[in-house]
Amino acid sequence: MKIAVFNENKVGVVEGNNIIDISTVVDWNNEDSQASLVKLMGNFDSLKPKIETSLDSCPAYPVEEVALRAPVQNPSKIVAAPINYILHKQEMNTALTVDGLGFFLKSPSSIIGPNETVLLPFRDRRVDHEAEIAFVIGKEAKDVKAEDAADYIFGYIALMDITVRGKEDRPWRKSFDTFTPIGPWIVTSDEVENPNSLQMNLWVNDEIRQSANTSDLIYDCYKFLEAASSVMTLLPGDIVTTGTPEGVAPITKGDTVRLNIERIGEFSVQVDYKPGI
Ligand code: MN
């Protein structure tokens, strides 16, 4: 099932070219979509048949006629993997990988949704795109082993980890407002099947910049959940993002950045300078 947030933070199921508004079916509070998402995930086993039987009677709209919003709006944290593909390690010319670096946190306030705008905070510093597969924690996870990790993942999203290059620590360089575009919706785990074998492509102005497969992850989705949950409790609604493959490159004012992940979907954002810089 593809679960989207749209227009005035309503919740919908995407089927083909349509989005079906299930807000009333799942008692969704559009003034607190994060709490509503956590409740939906907690009750999903009983809600799923109810959602499926009501799809024919709920209002439906063409997806291209609604405004998609970030499918996760206010997680308690965004856990992110540094250097988790070998070819990205080589292009960054660094010694360590996720194995030695662990993880870092991005600010949840950096989240934006599809068709929003990344605002560059500097005119004279390099800012890069990073294409990543990310997942949404469905139930509290602590000390979870990789072989059990799938049980804790509600679904998958596409994520851009926008990054200022330089010597500051990663949370500073990756937490500017607008630096975490996510979308286009959450695809539930059953529909993704194997997240560790998906093609991922990123274009800037229709020029392909990143093209890789999640099968090349050093720590795959499950192993990275194990590593993160060995340190801290992952809460329902948290986002975990797994790192970028090779091909990172600068973005600048006027660019359109488009990310597509197999089985998950595609979305774009625009790039501009932050007002006043
Ligand atoms: Mn990254």
Side-chain angles (χ1 to χ4, degrees):
M1 196 174 281
K2 297 180 175 70
I3 297 171
V5 178
F6 70 103
N7 291 355
E8 298 82 32
N9 286 339
K10 297 173 178 192
V11 66
V13 169
V14 176
E15 290 212 320
N17 295 322
N18 286 323
I19 186 164
I20 301 155
D21 184 351
I22 59 162
S23 300
T24 56
V25 179
V26 300
D27 192 25
W28 185 269
N29 175 5
N30 64 353
E31 292 184 358
D32 192 348
S33 59
Q34 185 70 23
S36 295
L37 174 64
V38 170
K39 193 174 69 170
L40 170 66
M41 295 190 299
N43 299 323
F44 195 67
D45 287 346
S46 59
L47 280 174
K48 192 179 175 192
K50 195 176 156 195
I51 294 168
E52 284 167 343
T53 55
S54 34
L55 289 179
D56 284 342
S57 53
C58 289
Y61 314 93
V63 172
E64 68 261 30
E65 290 180 14
V66 305
L68 291 172
R69 308 299 180 191
V72 183
Q73 301 199 339
N74 192 22
S76 82
K77 50 194 171 293
I78 303 169
V79 186
I83 315 290
N84 200 12
Y85 289 83
I86 289 294
L87 292 178
H88 179 57
K89 173 180 182 286
Q90 291 175 3
E91 75 179 351
M92 299 310 289
N93 197 24
T94 57
L96 297 173
T97 70
V98 63
D99 193 30
L101 292 166
F103 59 77
F104 63 93
L105 296 174
K106 293 191 71 157
S107 172
S109 52
S110 63
I111 288 173
I112 59 172
N115 300 313
E116 291 197 66
T117 301
V118 172
L119 297 175
L120 305 175
F122 307 105
R123 288 175 183 264
D124 58 352
R125 300 234 0 214
R126 175 173 164 177
V127 178
D128 283 359
H129 55 75
E130 294 191 352
E132 308 196 1
I133 183 171
F135 53 85
V136 182
I137 297 295
K139 61 180 180 182
E140 192 170 303
K142 182 70 176 69
D143 294 322
V144 172
K145 293 299 171 198
E147 56 264 35
D148 301 321
D151 293 342
Y152 295 82
I153 298 174
F154 178 73
Y156 294 83
I157 55 177
L159 183 148
M160 299 180 196
D161 177 18
I162 305 296
T163 303
V164 178
R165 295 294 168 209
K167 295 193 185 311
E168 296 88 353
D169 281 346
R170 284 184 175 86
W172 186 95
R173 294 188 288 107
K174 294 163 172 282
S175 287
F176 288 88
D177 287 358
T178 74
F179 269 28
T180 309
I182 59 172
W185 35 63
I186 303 170
V187 182
T188 53
S189 300
D190 58 316
E191 205 167 302
V192 171
E193 294 179 0
N194 181 7
N196 302 311
S197 181
L198 298 176
Q199 183 62 31
M200 176 162 55
N201 293 318
L202 182 142
W203 298 261
V204 175
N205 307 328
D206 293 326
E207 174 195 331
I208 188 90
R209 290 273 187 90
Q210 295 186 272
S211 182
N213 196 286
T214 60
S215 59
D216 289 327
L217 281 161
I218 298 171
Y219 277 12
D220 70 16
C221 292
Y222 304 146
K223 176 71 177 170
F224 189 53
L225 190 155
E226 175 182 303
S229 78
S230 75
V231 174
M232 61 190 173
T233 303
L234 303 175
L235 298 177
D238 282 352
I239 294 174
V240 180
T241 190
T242 58
T244 194
E246 69 280 10
V248 300
I251 52 175
T252 193
K253 175 183 166 69
D255 284 344
T256 297
V257 187
R258 176 162 55 100
L259 173 58
N260 181 294
I261 303 181
E262 184 183 0
R263 286 181 176 265
I264 296 176
E266 177 172 303
F267 75 97
S268 301
V269 292
Q270 287 72 49
V271 182
D272 201 350
Y273 288 129
K274 180 179 168 184
I277 69 156

